[in-house]
Amino acid sequence: MSNKTTGGLVYSTEHGRMCSECRKSLAECVCGRNATIPASDGIVRVSRETKGRKGKGVTLIKGLTLDTLALAQLGKQLKTACGSGGTVKDGVIEIQGDHCELVIENLKKQGWVVKRAGG
């Protein structure tokens, strides 16, 4: 594919990462803000998973009804509180390691209804 078909500039030293749709920096992007928020029953579920990760445990947080920017910011807060890395994918926050209890405490302090899912 040529640069014209992929959207052109994807990184700029002046603005950082660029959105391929609106061609603005990710901080100024309006495309992600218009994304639909997934429907939820109002309960945040925290679970631990190792499947497909070569035995490494990951804490998953599902059921948050936040837009992508707020979800990324909450993910950053939780990763900082746990002292580990992680990511936000498809509306699910993944934190490396087994930090279920710490995540549940932090989310309850912020006013979320939280349940432990899985075993």
Side-chain angles (χ1 to χ4, degrees):
M1 288 188 177
S2 68
N3 281 342
K4 291 181 182 179
T5 59
T6 59
L9 182 66
V10 292
Y11 187 84
S12 169
T13 55
E14 184 176 340
H15 300 288
R17 293 210 172 269
M18 307 293 283
C19 176
S20 61
E21 294 180 26
C22 66
R23 295 181 175 262
K24 295 183 180 182
S25 67
L26 287 183
E28 299 171 352
C29 176
V30 294
C31 302
R33 293 184 186 148
N34 295 334
T36 58
I37 297 172
S40 175
D41 58 356
I43 299 172
V44 178
R45 289 176 171 77
V46 178
S47 62
R48 182 176 175 272
E49 184 177 282
T50 58
K51 186 175 182 181
R53 293 179 171 83
K54 299 182 182 177
K56 305 283 184 177
V58 175
T59 302
L60 300 176
I61 301 111
K62 299 177 184 178
L64 293 163
T65 54
L66 298 172
D67 62 347
T68 54
L69 294 175
L71 194 65
Q73 185 153 13
L74 179 62
K76 184 175 181 177
Q77 290 173 357
L78 292 173
K79 289 186 295 184
T80 303
C82 295
S84 64
T87 187
V88 177
K89 292 182 184 175
D90 302 325
V92 178
I93 300 174
E94 298 180 5
I95 299 176
Q96 296 172 354
D98 186 7
H99 301 286
C100 292
E101 297 304 320
L102 187 59
V103 168
I104 290 171
E105 289 175 21
N106 281 326
L107 290 174
K108 282 185 179 179
K109 286 180 186 174
Q110 294 180 16
W112 293 95
V113 178
V114 184
K115 284 188 178 178
R116 174 82 187 252

